[in-house]
Amino acid sequence: MKRKQSLQCTAALLLCALLLTGCAAESPVALTVPSIAPLPEAEGLRVAVASDLHLNPGAGAPSGAVDAASYSSELIDALLWDAKEQDAAFILLTGDLVSGGTRERHEALTEKLRRAESAGLPVYVLPGNHDLAPVGQRDFAALYADFGYDEAWSRDESSLSYCVLRDDCVLLMLDTAGYPAGAIDLTGAPAREDSTAFLTEATLRWVEDMLREARERGLPVLCAGHYNLLTAAARDPEKSGYYVENREKLAALLRDYGVPLYLSGHIHLRAVYREDGLTELVTEYLLGYPTGYSVLDLTAGTLRYTPRRVDVDAWAAESGQSDPTLLHFAAWQQEGLWRYSQENVAYMAARNPLTQKQQAQAAAFYYAVMDAYWSGTLPARRSALEAMPGRRPFFRCAEGYAYGWWLRDLMENAAPELAGFTLPLP
């Protein structure tokens, strides 16, 4: 596998795609930018999974304080390049492909996907809540005919769900809806009055048929949807917005047929949740920190997950980019994370005052916790983080703000599986 070394690596965007400023600032913490090493050689089937690309080529050229969304087109190119460099057999894109479902944005994306397939990286897509309207379901399937729909072993008549048999693996790609009701125009699709995420009873029957067929053939199943499935994936399980409406029924089917993993996105966070033998892997927002995706390695009897940072710096050098931000993208993100930490502590300190020294310490603590969370090292670094001098000033300053409960929750509950895990396959 040919590989170029990158000089940079990583930094973090906060909950639900909080934006980076991209400006450097003096720091009491070391803003180290380690190199991104290639993954170990694939021993079995390697699958890349990315989510929430939010392509918006009309965002315009960045100027002044910028956020990563300004680079949506370039970061998608970097993602597809990186997945191919890591020897992925194919890539799954789990929804929110574009930022607003216009035909022009979908056509811009499909052009990129065709180039990826020509370079040897097959692509399979499913819709998210931002992908339809004005484009409807039928138009979506036609636009992405070459990226799953025309290759389908079976298609559900009441949704954009489909099933593909690929490399002795069943890809169960589920349309979890959640988009405007006016975009629902398939002949067999039910009329809806809202944009709730749901699976129809007909779709669930189709899902069971696919799972039964996979079991009879003795094939592993990769099941993906845009919306989240397990209860822990959102703060308020009584409200829609994050969940598949009738998620318990789908979860029960996956458990009954021995499917160990459900792939999702939507909440813009890298996350791992486990309930009653079923694991949900949430792949992060591509335009946030650490501009990452998920890598799955399937070998005989096991499935291994590894988080992967897109090596934007190496892609930029390889593709002849001249924008210094892209050429030093990881360092740009790291500096932006520090600046963001400073600004939010200063914002909270306006109501809950700290001394200048305490404010700097609190920002350093905030930065360190987010960096540890996104790198998957928070459980191992928890004791050191709790001993930082900025911990108490931060939580005193954050009293009454969401930043406080969010960081406290991370400190207590961040899963060690964020750094990777292995599951048995039936």
Side-chain angles (χ1 to χ4, degrees), residues 230-303:
L230 300 183
T231 305
R235 304 291 175 188
D236 188 354
E238 300 305 317
K239 293 182 179 180
S240 62
Y242 293 103
Y243 291 101
V244 176
E245 179 182 86
N246 48 349
R247 59 193 179 275
E248 297 90 351
K249 293 183 178 180
L250 175 59
L253 280 174
L254 297 179
R255 292 186 180 103
D256 288 347
Y257 284 86
V259 178
L261 183 67
Y262 173 76
L263 302 165
S264 67
H266 187 54
I267 58 174
H268 291 194
L269 290 169
R270 183 199 306 166
V272 178
Y273 302 107
R274 286 180 167 170
E275 289 180 13
D276 300 327
L278 179 62
T279 298
E280 178 169 358
L281 171 60
V282 185
T283 298
E284 59 264 50
Y285 173 54
L286 181 69
L287 310 183
Y289 176 85
T291 309
Y293 63 104
S294 300
V295 176
L296 305 178
D297 286 302
L298 284 72
T299 55
T302 63
L303 181 155

Side-chain angles (χ1 to χ4, degrees), residues 357-382:
K357 179 180 179 180
Q358 288 172 331
Q359 192 166 313
Q361 291 173 333
F365 172 76
Y366 186 22
Y367 168 89
V369 172
M370 288 193 291
D371 182 63
Y373 173 73
W374 287 108
S375 66
T377 61
L378 199 156
R381 293 165 59 184
R382 186 175 284 116

